Amino acid sequence: AVATLLAGISTPIFRAIAWKTDFLDKPLGQAHKRHGKATPLLGGAAMLTAWLITLVGGYFGALWLRPHLPPDLANAVAGLLTPRVQRLLLVITTGGLALAVMGAVDDRRPMGPLRKLILQILICAGIALCPDLQVTLFWENPAVKWLMTLCWFTFIINAFNFLDNMDGLAAGLAFIASTLFAVVGALQQQYFVAALGACTAGVTLGFYIYNCSPASIFMGDSGSHFLGYLLGVQGVLTKYYLDDISPTVGPVFIPALILGLPIFDIFAVCFIRWRLHKPIYSGDHNHISHRFLKLGLSRALAVLLVHLLALALGLGALPLLWLPSVGVWLVFGQAAAMLALVTIVHWSGYRREKAMAAHETAKA
């Protein structure tokens, strides 16, 4: 609630700053941009500010209130004083700040895809050194865990950045995913990640009020990098498989399902661009949201449909915490069927565009 309120206050402030400093997204005739007028681009700074204030205020507020809390809650708050948690908070905060600043620099003066990727890899490589933020997947080799973590963060950041293509789309997806991560953390009695997920969901909700169609402010690369990073953090921070509770290893797939739609979309779009002999980093209108738009839906309905698909995939992941093997396979089958539906939409749109292009070529 505090994060939502602070984001609701900071967003119009940074929107005004963007207008005064000319920090705007100007279409300039770019084919992949459909907004018709200049729009403020400091949404990432607004969310980062609200997130930092909530995090720092919550940290010191919890310590101040600790003597007055019930014993169970006071013991949980005591965990904030451990060097491990303090180091973890410092790494998470530093990584989010670095990626948000990098994205803001790119928003102000585009740095090119290769330079941006190199900077992403360098920042994520440093973050991946933190042992509490590493993907394990039952591997013990430090180099393998570091490499998997580096790939995870870089991939999720770019997947989320790719999907920031319509008003309210990325903010809504981040809210859904962060809420689900918070629920999973709470169910597993891992309250640190639950609180982090709630904080992230709060700032995205407060920002969404101004970013939903018609958007009066964009999050920009700063916001998409920041939120993509936080979603990657939540994905690796939770311990999904518990030896004495989990009936199968199915819970380790929970992050992949919660973030299933962004992950699937980036694979689909890159495949289409490859088939069309276009660079995979070039902007276009081959995302699933654009496909729904071409089916005749309004932009608002296209965004809503993507959100519903992401919510359905994410909710299907939660029972993996308790299901036996048969139930796990049923969840995977349901997710596969939903992604098959999205594939059909993607592929039919691609074939139709290819046929139209061939027709225009023959006509010329």
Side-chain angles (χ1 to χ4, degrees), residues 205-277:
L205 181 60
F207 172 74
Y208 178 83
I209 298 170
Y210 303 93
N211 184 238
C212 63
S213 183
S216 62
I217 186 172
F218 294 157
M219 68 172 64
D221 273 9
S222 176
S224 62
H225 279 62
F226 174 64
L227 291 180
Y229 162 73
L230 289 181
L231 293 176
V233 166
Q234 293 169 70
V236 301
L237 198 56
T238 308
K239 187 174 182 181
Y240 302 94
Y241 176 77
L242 302 176
D243 293 331
D244 54 342
I245 297 177
S246 305
T248 71
V249 296
V252 300
F253 295 98
I254 288 176
L257 289 177
I258 290 179
L259 299 173
L261 204 60
I263 291 172
F264 176 83
D265 187 72
I266 191 173
F267 276 120
V269 168
C270 288
F271 176 77
I272 291 172
R273 290 173 184 173
W274 173 73
R275 288 295 299 266
L276 294 174
H277 306 290

Side-chain angles (χ1 to χ4, degrees), residues 182-217:
V183 170
V184 173
L187 290 173
Q188 297 287 76
Q189 296 183 357
Q190 298 173 35
Y191 302 119
F192 180 87
V193 69
L196 184 65
C199 180
T200 306
V203 296
T204 55
L205 181 60
F207 172 74
Y208 178 83
I209 298 170
Y210 303 93
N211 184 238
C212 63
S213 183
S216 62
I217 186 172

Side-chain angles (χ1 to χ4, degrees), residues 159-181 197 200-201 204-205 207-208 211 219 227-228 231 234 257-263 265 287-289 292 302-314:
F160 201 74
N161 187 40
F162 271 38
L163 260 181
D164 182 26
N165 55 61
M166 283 191 185
D167 294 351
L169 179 60
L173 288 172
F175 172 75
I176 292 168
S178 294
T179 301
L180 291 173
F181 278 127
T200 306
T204 55
L205 181 60
F207 172 74
Y208 178 83
N211 184 238
M219 68 172 64
L227 291 180
L231 293 176
Q234 293 169 70
L257 289 177
I258 290 179
L259 299 173
L261 204 60
I263 291 172
D265 187 72
H287 297 275
I288 184 60
S289 51
F292 289 145
V303 169
L304 177 60
L305 190 52
V306 174
H307 287 166
L308 289 174
L309 282 169
L311 180 61
L313 278 170

